[in-house]
Amino acid sequence: TRASIFIKGKALVHGFMVDGDEAGVQFDNAAMRGCSGTIFTSISKESLRDYYTQNSVPMIIMQFGGNRVPYTKSDKAIATYCEQLTRQIEYLRQVSPESVILFIGPSDMSTNINGQMETYPHLPKLIDALRNMCLTNNVAYWDLYKSMGGKNSMTNWVNMNPPLAGSDHIHCTYAGSNRASEMLWEGLMEAYKLYKLRVENYSLR
Protein backbone atom coordinates (compact mmCIF):
# COMPACT_ATOMS: atom_id res chain seq x y z
CA THR A 1 0.00 0.00 0.00
CA ARG A 2 1.26 3.43 -0.90
CA ALA A 3 0.18 6.92 0.10
CA SER A 4 1.21 10.23 -1.45
CA ILE A 5 0.91 13.79 -0.25
CA PHE A 6 1.50 16.95 -2.26
CA ILE A 7 2.24 20.15 -0.37
CA LYS A 8 2.37 23.65 -1.78
CA GLY A 9 4.39 25.95 0.40
CA LYS A 10 5.65 24.92 3.84
CA ALA A 11 4.24 22.32 6.20
CA LEU A 12 5.30 20.45 9.32
CA VAL A 13 4.37 16.77 8.91
CA HIS A 14 4.50 14.60 12.02
CA GLY A 15 3.16 11.45 10.38
CA PHE A 16 0.20 9.82 8.64
CA MET A 17 -2.82 8.17 10.21
CA VAL A 18 -4.85 5.70 8.18
CA ASP A 19 -7.25 4.60 10.90
CA GLY A 20 -10.62 3.38 9.72
CA ASP A 21 -14.06 4.29 11.02
CA GLU A 22 -14.95 0.74 12.05
CA ALA A 23 -15.17 -0.25 15.71
CA GLY A 24 -12.33 -2.16 17.31
CA VAL A 25 -8.80 -1.64 18.53
CA GLN A 26 -6.80 0.91 16.57
CA PHE A 27 -3.07 1.17 17.17
CA ASP A 28 -0.69 3.92 16.09
CA ASN A 29 3.02 3.20 16.41
CA ALA A 30 5.65 5.93 16.59
CA ALA A 31 8.99 4.24 15.95
CA MET A 32 11.81 6.00 17.80
CA ARG A 33 15.02 4.29 16.74
CA GLY A 34 17.79 4.81 19.26
CA CYS A 35 15.53 6.78 21.60
CA SER A 36 15.65 6.26 25.37
CA GLY A 37 12.22 7.82 25.96
CA THR A 38 13.32 11.15 27.39
CA ILE A 39 12.27 13.45 24.53
CA PHE A 40 8.55 13.95 25.15
CA THR A 41 9.05 17.07 27.25
CA SER A 42 10.74 18.68 24.24
CA ILE A 43 7.63 18.20 22.08
CA SER A 44 5.06 20.98 21.92
CA LYS A 45 2.48 20.44 24.64
CA GLU A 46 -0.22 21.93 22.42
CA SER A 47 0.55 19.55 19.56
CA LEU A 48 0.49 16.50 21.80
CA ARG A 49 -2.68 17.60 23.57
CA ASP A 50 -4.46 18.21 20.26
CA TYR A 51 -3.49 14.77 18.99
CA TYR A 52 -4.58 12.89 22.10
CA THR A 53 -7.81 14.90 22.45
CA GLN A 54 -8.88 14.56 18.84
CA ASN A 55 -8.23 10.82 18.80
CA SER A 56 -9.53 9.97 22.27
CA VAL A 57 -6.46 7.87 23.10
CA PRO A 58 -7.36 5.48 25.96
CA MET A 59 -3.88 3.97 26.38
CA ILE A 60 -0.32 5.15 25.82
CA ILE A 61 2.24 2.34 25.51
CA MET A 62 5.86 3.26 26.18
CA GLN A 63 8.66 0.83 25.36
CA PHE A 64 12.03 2.15 26.44
CA GLY A 65 15.15 1.24 28.36
CA GLY A 66 16.92 -1.06 25.91
CA ASN A 67 18.97 1.71 24.34
CA ARG A 68 20.24 2.74 27.76
CA VAL A 69 21.36 -0.72 28.86
CA PRO A 70 24.97 -0.55 27.53
CA TYR A 71 25.56 2.85 29.15
CA THR A 72 23.46 3.00 32.33
CA LYS A 73 25.57 0.88 34.66
CA SER A 74 25.90 2.58 38.04
CA ASP A 75 23.18 2.94 40.68
CA LYS A 76 23.35 6.72 40.24
CA ALA A 77 22.94 6.48 36.46
CA ILE A 78 19.97 4.13 36.84
CA ALA A 79 18.32 6.46 39.37
CA THR A 80 18.89 9.47 37.10
CA TYR A 81 17.35 7.67 34.13
CA CYS A 82 14.27 6.74 36.16
CA GLU A 83 13.91 10.36 37.26
CA GLN A 84 14.04 11.45 33.62
CA LEU A 85 11.35 8.93 32.67
CA THR A 86 9.19 10.07 35.59
CA ARG A 87 9.22 13.59 34.15
CA GLN A 88 8.15 12.22 30.76
CA ILE A 89 5.25 10.31 32.34
CA GLU A 90 4.13 13.40 34.25
CA TYR A 91 4.27 15.39 31.01
CA LEU A 92 2.17 12.86 29.11
CA ARG A 93 -0.36 12.86 31.95
CA GLN A 94 -0.66 16.63 31.62
CA VAL A 95 -1.42 16.47 27.90
CA SER A 96 -3.63 13.36 28.07
CA PRO A 97 -5.03 12.96 31.61
CA GLU A 98 -7.64 10.40 30.49
CA SER A 99 -5.06 7.96 29.09
CA VAL A 100 -3.71 5.05 31.09
CA ILE A 101 -0.04 4.27 30.55
CA LEU A 102 1.60 0.89 29.99
CA PHE A 103 5.39 0.71 30.12
CA ILE A 104 7.17 -2.21 28.43
CA GLY A 105 10.58 -2.81 29.94
CA PRO A 106 13.76 -3.93 28.16
CA SER A 107 14.24 -7.40 26.77
CA ASP A 108 17.17 -9.54 27.80
CA MET A 109 20.36 -8.30 26.14
CA SER A 110 23.73 -10.04 26.01
CA THR A 111 27.32 -8.86 25.96
CA ASN A 112 30.61 -10.72 25.66
CA ILE A 113 31.87 -11.73 29.10
CA ASN A 114 35.07 -13.81 29.05
CA GLY A 115 34.24 -15.14 25.60
CA GLN A 116 30.62 -16.00 26.40
CA MET A 117 27.48 -14.04 25.50
CA GLU A 118 25.74 -13.34 28.80
CA THR A 119 23.12 -10.94 30.13
CA TYR A 120 24.46 -7.45 30.90
CA PRO A 121 25.33 -7.67 34.62
CA HIS A 122 23.42 -4.51 35.55
CA LEU A 123 20.31 -5.23 33.43
CA PRO A 124 18.26 -6.91 36.22
CA LYS A 125 18.93 -3.94 38.52
CA LEU A 126 17.81 -1.49 35.82
CA ILE A 127 14.64 -3.51 35.24
CA ASP A 128 13.83 -3.56 38.97
CA ALA A 129 14.30 0.21 39.09
CA LEU A 130 12.06 0.75 36.06
CA ARG A 131 9.35 -1.46 37.55
CA ASN A 132 9.45 0.40 40.86
CA MET A 133 9.38 3.73 39.04
CA CYS A 134 6.26 2.65 37.15
CA LEU A 135 4.45 1.31 40.20
CA THR A 136 5.27 4.49 42.14
CA ASN A 137 3.72 6.57 39.35
CA ASN A 138 0.64 4.36 38.85
CA VAL A 139 1.90 3.07 35.51
CA ALA A 140 1.36 -0.54 34.43
CA TYR A 141 4.61 -2.40 33.80
CA TRP A 142 5.10 -5.43 31.56
CA ASP A 143 8.35 -7.32 32.07
CA LEU A 144 9.58 -8.44 28.65
CA TYR A 145 12.84 -9.67 30.20
CA LYS A 146 11.01 -12.04 32.54
CA SER A 147 8.58 -13.13 29.83
CA MET A 148 11.49 -14.10 27.56
CA GLY A 149 12.88 -16.35 30.30
CA GLY A 150 15.03 -13.99 32.35
CA LYS A 151 18.81 -14.18 32.61
CA ASN A 152 20.61 -15.39 29.46
CA SER A 153 17.30 -16.02 27.66
CA MET A 154 18.49 -13.90 24.74
CA THR A 155 20.99 -16.62 23.82
CA ASN A 156 18.16 -19.15 23.76
CA TRP A 157 16.14 -16.89 21.47
CA VAL A 158 19.14 -16.52 19.12
CA ASN A 159 19.61 -20.29 18.94
CA MET A 160 15.98 -21.18 18.26
CA ASN A 161 14.88 -22.45 14.85
CA PRO A 162 13.77 -20.13 13.38
CA PRO A 163 15.80 -17.61 15.40
CA LEU A 164 13.74 -15.27 17.59
CA ALA A 165 16.64 -12.83 17.92
CA GLY A 166 19.55 -11.67 15.79
CA SER A 167 23.20 -12.57 16.12
CA ASP A 168 23.87 -9.24 17.87
CA HIS A 169 22.06 -10.69 20.91
CA ILE A 170 20.11 -7.43 21.22
CA HIS A 171 17.36 -7.18 18.60
CA CYS A 172 14.48 -9.56 17.97
CA THR A 173 13.82 -10.97 14.53
CA TYR A 174 10.35 -10.60 12.99
CA ALA A 175 9.50 -14.00 14.45
CA GLY A 176 10.75 -12.88 17.84
CA SER A 177 8.79 -9.63 17.68
CA ASN A 178 5.67 -11.61 16.86
CA ARG A 179 6.31 -13.92 19.82
CA ALA A 180 6.84 -10.96 22.15
CA SER A 181 3.56 -9.45 20.91
CA GLU A 182 1.77 -12.71 21.59
CA MET A 183 3.18 -12.84 25.12
CA LEU A 184 2.07 -9.26 25.77
CA TRP A 185 -1.43 -10.06 24.53
CA GLU A 186 -1.56 -13.18 26.69
CA GLY A 187 -0.47 -11.12 29.69
CA LEU A 188 -3.13 -8.50 29.05
CA MET A 189 -5.83 -11.13 28.72
CA GLU A 190 -4.77 -12.85 31.96
CA ALA A 191 -4.90 -9.49 33.75
CA TYR A 192 -8.33 -8.82 32.25
CA LYS A 193 -9.61 -12.18 33.46
CA LEU A 194 -8.43 -11.38 36.98
CA TYR A 195 -10.06 -7.96 36.75
CA LYS A 196 -13.38 -9.47 35.67
CA LEU A 197 -13.20 -12.03 38.47
CA ARG A 198 -12.63 -9.31 41.05
CA VAL A 199 -15.53 -7.25 39.70
CA GLU A 200 -17.85 -10.26 39.70
CA ASN A 201 -16.87 -11.24 43.24
CA TYR A 202 -17.36 -7.66 44.44
CA SER A 203 -20.84 -7.48 42.88
CA LEU A 204 -21.87 -10.65 44.74
CA ARG A 205 -21.16 -9.15 48.16
Side-chain angles (χ1 to χ4, degrees), residues 93-119:
R93 283 232 168 91
Q94 291 174 20
V95 298
S96 188
E98 300 301 318
S99 301
V100 298
I101 300 176
L102 168 63
F103 191 101
I104 300 176
S107 67
D108 185 36
M109 297 171 61
S110 302
T111 188
N112 192 316
I113 300 177
N114 297 323
Q116 298 291 329
M117 297 303 292
E118 299 180 12
T119 295

PDB file of all heavy atoms in Angstrom, residues 93-119:
ATOM      1  N   ARG A  93       0.877  12.785  31.169  1.00  0.00           N
ATOM      2  CA  ARG A  93      -0.356  12.859  31.947  1.00  0.00           C
ATOM      3  C   ARG A  93      -0.981  14.251  31.867  1.00  0.00           C
ATOM      4  O   ARG A  93      -2.199  14.396  31.905  1.00  0.00           O
ATOM      5  CB  ARG A  93      -0.057  12.509  33.412  1.00  0.00           C
ATOM      6  CG  ARG A  93       0.129  11.007  33.634  1.00  0.00           C
ATOM      7  CD  ARG A  93      -0.750  10.532  34.762  1.00  0.00           C
ATOM      8  NE  ARG A  93      -0.804   9.076  34.791  1.00  0.00           N
ATOM      9  CZ  ARG A  93       0.025   8.312  35.492  1.00  0.00           C
ATOM     10  NH1 ARG A  93       0.983   8.871  36.208  1.00  0.00           N
ATOM     11  NH2 ARG A  93      -0.102   6.999  35.481  1.00  0.00           N
ATOM     12  N   GLN A  94      -0.147  15.263  31.746  1.00  0.00           N
ATOM     13  CA  GLN A  94      -0.661  16.627  31.619  1.00  0.00           C
ATOM     14  C   GLN A  94      -1.388  16.822  30.291  1.00  0.00           C
ATOM     15  O   GLN A  94      -2.431  17.477  30.239  1.00  0.00           O
ATOM     16  CB  GLN A  94       0.483  17.631  31.736  1.00  0.00           C
ATOM     17  CG  GLN A  94       1.105  17.726  33.120  1.00  0.00           C
ATOM     18  CD  GLN A  94       2.324  18.634  33.135  1.00  0.00           C
ATOM     19  OE1 GLN A  94       2.508  19.473  32.249  1.00  0.00           O
ATOM     20  NE2 GLN A  94       3.179  18.461  34.131  1.00  0.00           N
ATOM     21  N   VAL A  95      -0.836  16.254  29.215  1.00  0.00           N
ATOM     22  CA  VAL A  95      -1.422  16.472  27.896  1.00  0.00           C
ATOM     23  C   VAL A  95      -2.546  15.488  27.603  1.00  0.00           C
ATOM     24  O   VAL A  95      -3.394  15.745  26.747  1.00  0.00           O
ATOM     25  CB  VAL A  95      -0.353  16.387  26.775  1.00  0.00           C
ATOM     26  CG1 VAL A  95       0.700  17.467  26.971  1.00  0.00           C
ATOM     27  CG2 VAL A  95       0.293  15.017  26.729  1.00  0.00           C
ATOM     28  N   SER A  96      -2.578  14.349  28.303  1.00  0.00           N
ATOM     29  CA  SER A  96      -3.629  13.363  28.069  1.00  0.00           C
ATOM     30  C   SER A  96      -4.030  12.704  29.395  1.00  0.00           C
ATOM     31  O   SER A  96      -3.725  11.527  29.631  1.00  0.00           O
ATOM     32  CB  SER A  96      -3.156  12.309  27.060  1.00  0.00           C
ATOM     33  OG  SER A  96      -4.219  11.454  26.686  1.00  0.00           O
ATOM     34  N   PRO A  97      -4.707  13.461  30.263  1.00  0.00           N
ATOM     35  CA  PRO A  97      -5.031  12.957  31.606  1.00  0.00           C
ATOM     36  C   PRO A  97      -5.960  11.756  31.613  1.00  0.00           C
ATOM     37  O   PRO A  97      -6.009  11.024  32.607  1.00  0.00           O
ATOM     38  CB  PRO A  97      -5.670  14.166  32.295  1.00  0.00           C
ATOM     39  CG  PRO A  97      -6.150  15.040  31.181  1.00  0.00           C
ATOM     40  CD  PRO A  97      -5.178  14.843  30.070  1.00  0.00           C
ATOM     41  N   GLU A  98      -6.698  11.519  30.540  1.00  0.00           N
ATOM     42  CA  GLU A  98      -7.637  10.405  30.489  1.00  0.00           C
ATOM     43  C   GLU A  98      -6.975   9.092  30.061  1.00  0.00           C
ATOM     44  O   GLU A  98      -7.587   8.025  30.154  1.00  0.00           O
ATOM     45  CB  GLU A  98      -8.788  10.726  29.514  1.00  0.00           C
ATOM     46  CG  GLU A  98      -9.599  11.965  29.893  1.00  0.00           C
ATOM     47  CD  GLU A  98     -10.218  11.832  31.271  1.00  0.00           C
ATOM     48  OE1 GLU A  98     -10.719  10.737  31.590  1.00  0.00           O
ATOM     49  OE2 GLU A  98     -10.200  12.821  32.019  1.00  0.00           O
ATOM     50  N   SER A  99      -5.742   9.166  29.599  1.00  0.00           N
ATOM     51  CA  SER A  99      -5.064   7.964  29.094  1.00  0.00           C
ATOM     52  C   SER A  99      -4.389   7.194  30.227  1.00  0.00           C
ATOM     53  O   SER A  99      -3.771   7.798  31.106  1.00  0.00           O
ATOM     54  CB  SER A  99      -3.998   8.335  28.053  1.00  0.00           C
ATOM     55  OG  SER A  99      -4.556   9.029  26.968  1.00  0.00           O
ATOM     56  N   VAL A 100      -4.522   5.876  30.207  1.00  0.00           N
ATOM     57  CA  VAL A 100      -3.707   5.046  31.090  1.00  0.00           C
ATOM     58  C   VAL A 100      -2.394   4.766  30.372  1.00  0.00           C
ATOM     59  O   VAL A 100      -2.318   4.833  29.138  1.00  0.00           O
ATOM     60  CB  VAL A 100      -4.423   3.724  31.449  1.00  0.00           C
ATOM     61  CG1 VAL A 100      -5.710   3.996  32.194  1.00  0.00           C
ATOM     62  CG2 VAL A 100      -4.698   2.900  30.202  1.00  0.00           C
ATOM     63  N   ILE A 101      -1.365   4.459  31.140  1.00  0.00           N
ATOM     64  CA  ILE A 101      -0.044   4.266  30.554  1.00  0.00           C
ATOM     65  C   ILE A 101       0.463   2.867  30.876  1.00  0.00           C
ATOM     66  O   ILE A 101       0.414   2.419  32.023  1.00  0.00           O
ATOM     67  CB  ILE A 101       0.953   5.324  31.063  1.00  0.00           C
ATOM     68  CG1 ILE A 101       0.463   6.732  30.697  1.00  0.00           C
ATOM     69  CG2 ILE A 101       2.348   5.088  30.475  1.00  0.00           C
ATOM     70  CD1 ILE A 101       1.352   7.846  31.243  1.00  0.00           C
ATOM     71  N   LEU A 102       0.945   2.190  29.849  1.00  0.00           N
ATOM     72  CA  LEU A 102       1.601   0.887  29.994  1.00  0.00           C
ATOM     73  C   LEU A 102       3.047   1.046  29.565  1.00  0.00           C
ATOM     74  O   LEU A 102       3.328   1.539  28.473  1.00  0.00           O
ATOM     75  CB  LEU A 102       0.910  -0.163  29.119  1.00  0.00           C
ATOM     76  CG  LEU A 102       1.645  -1.508  28.942  1.00  0.00           C
ATOM     77  CD1 LEU A 102       1.784  -2.227  30.281  1.00  0.00           C
ATOM     78  CD2 LEU A 102       0.923  -2.387  27.928  1.00  0.00           C
ATOM     79  N   PHE A 103       3.960   0.626  30.424  1.00  0.00           N
ATOM     80  CA  PHE A 103       5.390   0.710  30.115  1.00  0.00           C
ATOM     81  C   PHE A 103       5.920  -0.695  29.894  1.00  0.00           C
ATOM     82  O   PHE A 103       5.765  -1.571  30.751  1.00  0.00           O
ATOM     83  CB  PHE A 103       6.146   1.375  31.263  1.00  0.00           C
ATOM     84  CG  PHE A 103       7.567   1.754  30.941  1.00  0.00           C
ATOM     85  CD1 PHE A 103       7.891   3.066  30.626  1.00  0.00           C
ATOM     86  CD2 PHE A 103       8.587   0.814  30.957  1.00  0.00           C
ATOM     87  CE1 PHE A 103       9.199   3.435  30.325  1.00  0.00           C
ATOM     88  CE2 PHE A 103       9.889   1.160  30.659  1.00  0.00           C
ATOM     89  CZ  PHE A 103      10.203   2.472  30.339  1.00  0.00           C
ATOM     90  N   ILE A 104       6.542  -0.927  28.743  1.00  0.00           N
ATOM     91  CA  ILE A 104       7.170  -2.208  28.434  1.00  0.00           C
ATOM     92  C   ILE A 104       8.668  -2.073  28.682  1.00  0.00           C
ATOM     93  O   ILE A 104       9.343  -1.237  28.090  1.00  0.00           O
ATOM     94  CB  ILE A 104       6.911  -2.617  26.973  1.00  0.00           C
ATOM     95  CG1 ILE A 104       5.403  -2.755  26.721  1.00  0.00           C
ATOM     96  CG2 ILE A 104       7.633  -3.923  26.653  1.00  0.00           C
ATOM     97  CD1 ILE A 104       5.052  -3.062  25.279  1.00  0.00           C
ATOM     98  N   GLY A 105       9.169  -2.897  29.580  1.00  0.00           N
ATOM     99  CA  GLY A 105      10.579  -2.815  29.936  1.00  0.00           C
ATOM    100  C   GLY A 105      11.486  -3.471  28.914  1.00  0.00           C
ATOM    101  O   GLY A 105      11.035  -4.092  27.947  1.00  0.00           O
ATOM    102  N   PRO A 106      12.797  -3.384  29.120  1.00  0.00           N
ATOM    103  CA  PRO A 106      13.759  -3.930  28.164  1.00  0.00           C
ATOM    104  C   PRO A 106      13.697  -5.455  28.078  1.00  0.00           C
ATOM    105  O   PRO A 106      13.317  -6.130  29.029  1.00  0.00           O
ATOM    106  CB  PRO A 106      15.117  -3.489  28.728  1.00  0.00           C
ATOM    107  CG  PRO A 106      14.813  -2.418  29.725  1.00  0.00           C
ATOM    108  CD  PRO A 106      13.454  -2.715  30.248  1.00  0.00           C
ATOM    109  N   SER A 107      14.076  -5.959  26.935  1.00  0.00           N
ATOM    110  CA  SER A 107      14.244  -7.402  26.772  1.00  0.00           C
ATOM    111  C   SER A 107      15.571  -7.812  27.396  1.00  0.00           C
ATOM    112  O   SER A 107      16.351  -6.966  27.847  1.00  0.00           O
ATOM    113  CB  SER A 107      14.251  -7.763  25.287  1.00  0.00           C
ATOM    114  OG  SER A 107      15.422  -7.212  24.672  1.00  0.00           O
ATOM    115  N   ASP A 108      15.828  -9.105  27.429  1.00  0.00           N
ATOM    116  CA  ASP A 108      17.167  -9.544  27.799  1.00  0.00           C
ATOM    117  C   ASP A 108      18.127  -9.087  26.704  1.00  0.00           C
ATOM    118  O   ASP A 108      17.772  -9.038  25.524  1.00  0.00           O
ATOM    119  CB  ASP A 108      17.220 -11.069  27.947  1.00  0.00           C
ATOM    120  CG  ASP A 108      18.568 -11.549  28.451  1.00  0.00           C
ATOM    121  OD1 ASP A 108      19.169 -10.839  29.281  1.00  0.00           O
ATOM    122  OD2 ASP A 108      19.023 -12.624  28.020  1.00  0.00           O
ATOM    123  N   MET A 109      19.329  -8.724  27.078  1.00  0.00           N
ATOM    124  CA  MET A 109      20.361  -8.298  26.139  1.00  0.00           C
ATOM    125  C   MET A 109      21.677  -8.887  26.602  1.00  0.00           C
ATOM    126  O   MET A 109      21.965  -8.929  27.801  1.00  0.00           O
ATOM    127  CB  MET A 109      20.448  -6.766  26.077  1.00  0.00           C
ATOM    128  CG  MET A 109      19.183  -6.100  25.564  1.00  0.00           C
ATOM    129  SD  MET A 109      19.206  -4.288  25.740  1.00  0.00           S
ATOM    130  CE  MET A 109      20.625  -3.871  24.738  1.00  0.00           C
ATOM    131  N   SER A 110      22.488  -9.347  25.654  1.00  0.00           N
ATOM    132  CA  SER A 110      23.731 -10.038  26.010  1.00  0.00           C
ATOM    133  C   SER A 110      24.951  -9.243  25.564  1.00  0.00           C
ATOM    134  O   SER A 110      24.920  -8.508  24.579  1.00  0.00           O
ATOM    135  CB  SER A 110      23.770 -11.426  25.363  1.00  0.00           C
ATOM    136  OG  SER A 110      22.660 -12.205  25.763  1.00  0.00           O
ATOM    137  N   THR A 111      26.021  -9.429  26.302  1.00  0.00           N
ATOM    138  CA  THR A 111      27.319  -8.864  25.958  1.00  0.00           C
ATOM    139  C   THR A 111      28.382  -9.933  26.168  1.00  0.00           C
ATOM    140  O   THR A 111      28.154 -10.928  26.862  1.00  0.00           O
ATOM    141  CB  THR A 111      27.630  -7.624  26.819  1.00  0.00           C
ATOM    142  OG1 THR A 111      28.818  -6.988  26.344  1.00  0.00           O
ATOM    143  CG2 THR A 111      27.813  -7.997  28.285  1.00  0.00           C
ATOM    144  N   ASN A 112      29.536  -9.738  25.565  1.00  0.00           N
ATOM    145  CA  ASN A 112      30.609 -10.725  25.657  1.00  0.00           C
ATOM    146  C   ASN A 112      31.315 -10.614  27.003  1.00  0.00           C
ATOM    147  O   ASN A 112      31.939  -9.598  27.324  1.00  0.00           O
ATOM    148  CB  ASN A 112      31.610 -10.511  24.516  1.00  0.00           C
ATOM    149  CG  ASN A 112      32.574 -11.672  24.379  1.00  0.00           C
ATOM    150  OD1 ASN A 112      33.094 -12.170  25.364  1.00  0.00           O
ATOM    151  ND2 ASN A 112      32.814 -12.101  23.153  1.00  0.00           N
ATOM    152  N   ILE A 113      31.209 -11.674  27.800  1.00  0.00           N
ATOM    153  CA  ILE A 113      31.873 -11.727  29.101  1.00  0.00           C
ATOM    154  C   ILE A 113      32.775 -12.957  29.113  1.00  0.00           C
ATOM    155  O   ILE A 113      32.292 -14.096  29.115  1.00  0.00           O
ATOM    156  CB  ILE A 113      30.855 -11.791  30.250  1.00  0.00           C
ATOM    157  CG1 ILE A 113      29.940 -10.552  30.231  1.00  0.00           C
ATOM    158  CG2 ILE A 113      31.574 -11.914  31.597  1.00  0.00           C
ATOM    159  CD1 ILE A 113      28.865 -10.575  31.296  1.00  0.00           C
ATOM    160  N   ASN A 114      34.077 -12.715  29.068  1.00  0.00           N
ATOM    161  CA  ASN A 114      35.071 -13.807  29.054  1.00  0.00           C
ATOM    162  C   ASN A 114      34.798 -14.813  27.939  1.00  0.00           C
ATOM    163  O   ASN A 114      34.885 -16.032  28.133  1.00  0.00           O
ATOM    164  CB  ASN A 114      35.087 -14.520  30.409  1.00  0.00           C
ATOM    165  CG  ASN A 114      35.504 -13.606  31.547  1.00  0.00           C
ATOM    166  OD1 ASN A 114      36.370 -12.750  31.375  1.00  0.00           O
ATOM    167  ND2 ASN A 114      34.890 -13.786  32.712  1.00  0.00           N
ATOM    168  N   GLY A 115      34.441 -14.288  26.764  1.00  0.00           N
ATOM    169  CA  GLY A 115      34.241 -15.145  25.598  1.00  0.00           C
ATOM    170  C   GLY A 115      32.868 -15.759  25.482  1.00  0.00           C
ATOM    171  O   GLY A 115      32.596 -16.486  24.514  1.00  0.00           O
ATOM    172  N   GLN A 116      31.977 -15.468  26.432  1.00  0.00           N
ATOM    173  CA  GLN A 116      30.618 -16.000  26.396  1.00  0.00           C
ATOM    174  C   GLN A 116      29.607 -14.856  26.344  1.00  0.00           C
ATOM    175  O   GLN A 116      29.794 -13.823  27.002  1.00  0.00           O
ATOM    176  CB  GLN A 116      30.346 -16.861  27.642  1.00  0.00           C
ATOM    177  CG  GLN A 116      31.229 -18.082  27.769  1.00  0.00           C
ATOM    178  CD  GLN A 116      30.930 -19.139  26.717  1.00  0.00           C
ATOM    179  OE1 GLN A 116      29.799 -19.289  26.262  1.00  0.00           O
ATOM    180  NE2 GLN A 116      31.953 -19.893  26.322  1.00  0.00           N
ATOM    181  N   MET A 117      28.544 -15.039  25.556  1.00  0.00           N
ATOM    182  CA  MET A 117      27.477 -14.040  25.499  1.00  0.00           C
ATOM    183  C   MET A 117      26.555 -14.254  26.696  1.00  0.00           C
ATOM    184  O   MET A 117      25.901 -15.297  26.826  1.00  0.00           O
ATOM    185  CB  MET A 117      26.708 -14.164  24.188  1.00  0.00           C
ATOM    186  CG  MET A 117      27.539 -13.903  22.946  1.00  0.00           C
ATOM    187  SD  MET A 117      28.327 -12.251  22.938  1.00  0.00           S
ATOM    188  CE  MET A 117      26.888 -11.192  22.769  1.00  0.00           C
ATOM    189  N   GLU A 118      26.534 -13.253  27.584  1.00  0.00           N
ATOM    190  CA  GLU A 118      25.739 -13.339  28.799  1.00  0.00           C
ATOM    191  C   GLU A 118      24.958 -12.043  29.011  1.00  0.00           C
ATOM    192  O   GLU A 118      25.311 -10.993  28.458  1.00  0.00           O
ATOM    193  CB  GLU A 118      26.629 -13.600  30.014  1.00  0.00           C
ATOM    194  CG  GLU A 118      27.403 -14.913  29.948  1.00  0.00           C
ATOM    195  CD  GLU A 118      28.264 -15.132  31.172  1.00  0.00           C
ATOM    196  OE1 GLU A 118      28.095 -14.383  32.162  1.00  0.00           O
ATOM    197  OE2 GLU A 118      29.110 -16.048  31.137  1.00  0.00           O
ATOM    198  N   THR A 119      23.922 -12.112  29.812  1.00  0.00           N
ATOM    199  CA  THR A 119      23.123 -10.938  30.135  1.00  0.00           C
ATOM    200  C   THR A 119      23.999  -9.832  30.723  1.00  0.00           C
ATOM    201  O   THR A 119      24.888 -10.100  31.543  1.00  0.00           O
ATOM    202  CB  THR A 119      22.027 -11.312  31.151  1.00  0.00           C
ATOM    203  OG1 THR A 119      21.115 -12.225  30.545  1.00  0.00           O
ATOM    204  CG2 THR A 119      21.262 -10.089  31.621  1.00  0.00           C
TER     205      THR A 119
END
